[in-house]
Structure formats: C-alpha cells, structure tokens
C-alpha cells in the first residue's frame, strides 16, 4: 500500500510538472501590433487586447472589453500553432472559415508562411460571423460575440 501510494504521488507530481512546462513554453510567432513586432505568443496575444483573449480557458463572464489595437497583422499559421491565439477571436474566425471567405482564398493559401492577416480582414470576418449567428455586425469583439 505504501509503495502504491508513493507511485501515485510520483505520477501526480510528474503530471503537474509536465503541465507547468507546457504552460511556460511560449510559441514563436510573428505579429506586428501598432508598429511593434512581437515574436512570442503571450506578448502578441496581450498586445492584441480583445482579439487575443483566450476564449476557451477564460470564464466568458470575466471578459471585459479592453479595446483593440489600431493596426495589427499576424500570420495565419502562427495563430494555429499558438494555443492561446488559436483559442482567441482571431483563431475562431480563422478556424471556421470566415477569414477564407473574406479573402476568397483556400485554407492552404491563408496558411502560407508569408501571408499576414490584418485588422481590416479580421474585422470583416467578425462581421460575417456576427451576421451568421444573428448578432449586430459591428466587427468588434465583445461579450455577445
């Protein structure tokens, strides 16, 4: 029994350590937000304000509108490889085809390494998504959206 308990505790410790390492590992991205270049996902997501909020891991009732940057661009492939950005408003409109629809490109074309998606495209994509779900099409990421 004592040996079994030690094994369980050791296993639990290893699981906790691996989760901590996963959370601390930052994915390299290329995003330009209001003239500043960001190369790690956390800084980029924070600078994106409402666009970068993790909508899956965060309680939506805690969402408070922070606004959005004036100008930004981020590569589609970076959004997909970053867990936080993939779970954000940008990730949502990208994952469900709203960006492809606005750009009139295929998913493969949107995921090209050199294709940056800007704020105008993303606002249009959000408007399309809002219309699709019967919301007022503002292009603004807010609590109802």
């Amino acid at each position: 029994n004592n040996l079994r308990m030690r094994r369980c505790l050791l296993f639990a410790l290893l699981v906790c350590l691996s989760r901590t390492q996963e959370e601390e590992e930052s994915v390299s991205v290329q995003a330009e937000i209001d003239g500043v270049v960001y190369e790690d996902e956390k800084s980029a997501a924070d600078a994106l304000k409402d666009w970068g909020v993790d909508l899956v891991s965060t309680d939506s009732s805690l969402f408070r509108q922070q606004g959005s940057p004036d100008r930004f661009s981020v590569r589609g492939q970076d959004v997909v490889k970053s867990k936080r950005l993939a779970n954000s408003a940008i990730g949502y409109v990208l994952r469900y085809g709203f960006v492809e629809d606005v750009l009139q490109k295929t998913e493969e074309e949107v995921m090209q390494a050199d294709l940056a998606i800007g704020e105008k495209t993303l606002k249009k994509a959000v408007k399309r998504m809002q219309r699709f779900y019967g919301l007022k099409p503002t292009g603004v990421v807010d609590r109802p959206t």
Side-chain angles (χ1 to χ4, degrees):
N1 283 339
N2 200 9
L3 181 60
R4 187 177 294 162
M5 183 182 289
R6 286 182 186 174
R7 285 182 181 165
C8 287
L9 288 172
L10 181 59
F11 179 72
L13 178 63
L14 289 172
V15 169
C16 288
L17 286 174
S18 70
R19 285 187 181 165
T20 302
Q21 286 177 345
E22 286 175 8
E23 291 172 4
E24 289 177 4
E25 289 179 19
S26 184
V27 174
S28 176
V29 300
Q30 287 184 1
E32 185 172 340
I33 303 158
D34 286 337
V36 178
V37 175
Y38 295 88
E39 294 183 353
D40 70 284
E41 66 178 327
K42 182 179 179 342
S43 298
D46 288 344
L48 285 166
K49 300 178 184 175
D50 292 344
W51 288 96
V53 172
D54 187 333
L55 301 172
V56 175
S57 302
T58 306
D59 181 357
S60 64
S61 67
L62 299 176
F63 178 84
R64 52 186 198 287
Q65 210 152 352
Q66 303 172 42
S68 64
D70 293 324
R71 296 189 47 87
F72 61 90
S73 65
V74 62
R75 297 182 317 174
Q77 68 176 7
D78 289 340
V79 172
V80 172
K81 73 180 181 181
S82 160
K83 181 179 177 184
R84 180 161 172 198
L85 291 175
N87 290 339
S88 70
I90 293 174
Y92 187 90
V93 294
L94 190 62
R95 181 175 335 144
Y96 293 105
F98 295 102
V99 171
E100 289 95 337
D101 191 41
V102 168
L103 293 175
Q104 297 181 344
K105 294 187 180 289
T106 65
E107 181 180 357
E108 293 80 25
E109 291 171 320
V110 171
M111 291 301 149
Q112 285 179 333
D114 59 343
L115 181 67
I117 303 165
E119 74 282 347
K120 289 179 184 177
T121 299
L122 289 167
K123 286 180 182 181
K124 286 179 184 177
V126 168
K127 282 183 182 180
R128 287 186 187 231
M129 182 200 70
Q130 289 167 328
R131 277 190 212 100
F132 182 82
Y133 287 106
L135 300 170
K136 183 178 177 184
T138 61
V140 175
V141 177
D142 54 11
R143 182 174 285 153
T145 301

